[in-house]
Amino acid sequence: DPSCKPNHRLLVKLANKDFENCKDDLTVLSIETKGYQDEKISSVFLTMKKDDYMEKFDLLIPDAAKIKLVKGSGPITLLGSHCLDFYDYRNYGGEETEEEEDA
């Protein structure tokens, strides 16, 4: 059904820094997105010291966002998963009978 559009989410679990190109003492990443009443929100979500090459965390990004390298040098690899939520997906399509629900 075309009226049932998925909601995209991004779940970031891990940040990995390239240790060969790490020249700065501190690496800082921030995220910029829209909040309540489309107000612009910017917040730091990751800081890594020179000797930290991997950081584990849970960051759920429910809407469009920009991730920026505020301080330090890259590259930085973010690992996670892309999630799709289909709200009211069960309400679309034919109605199931009791026999189909029991199976």
Side-chain angles (χ1 to χ4, degrees):
D1 187 4
S3 64
C4 180
K5 294 182 181 179
N7 182 20
H8 296 268
R9 293 179 179 199
L10 183 63
L11 179 61
V12 183
K13 303 285 280 179
L14 181 83
N16 191 9
K17 185 168 56 170
D18 187 10
F19 62 88
E20 293 177 358
N21 295 329
C22 179
K23 300 171 188 166
D24 299 316
D25 290 336
L26 189 65
T27 303
V28 179
L29 291 178
S30 72
I31 187 166
E32 184 178 293
T33 187
K34 291 181 181 179
Y36 181 68
Q37 295 181 347
D38 291 333
E39 184 177 338
K40 183 178 170 182
I41 297 172
S42 181
S43 177
V44 171
F45 72 93
L46 178 68
T47 57
M48 297 176 78
K49 294 182 182 178
K50 187 174 186 175
D51 297 332
D52 296 337
Y53 300 113
M54 184 170 51
E55 188 74 32
K56 295 179 183 180
F57 58 96
D58 288 324
L59 175 65
L60 180 63
I61 304 171
D63 202 1
K66 292 180 184 178
I67 296 175
K68 295 182 180 181
L69 182 62
V70 177
K71 185 176 180 183
S73 61
I76 295 180
T77 305
L78 299 175
L79 301 174
S81 59
H82 174 236
C83 309
L84 291 174
D85 288 333
F86 289 93
Y87 294 113
D88 294 331
Y89 184 68
R90 294 173 290 164
N91 296 335
Y92 294 104
E95 293 189 23
E96 295 181 2
T97 63
E98 289 182 17
E99 293 173 3
E100 291 175 348
E101 290 177 356
D102 293 336

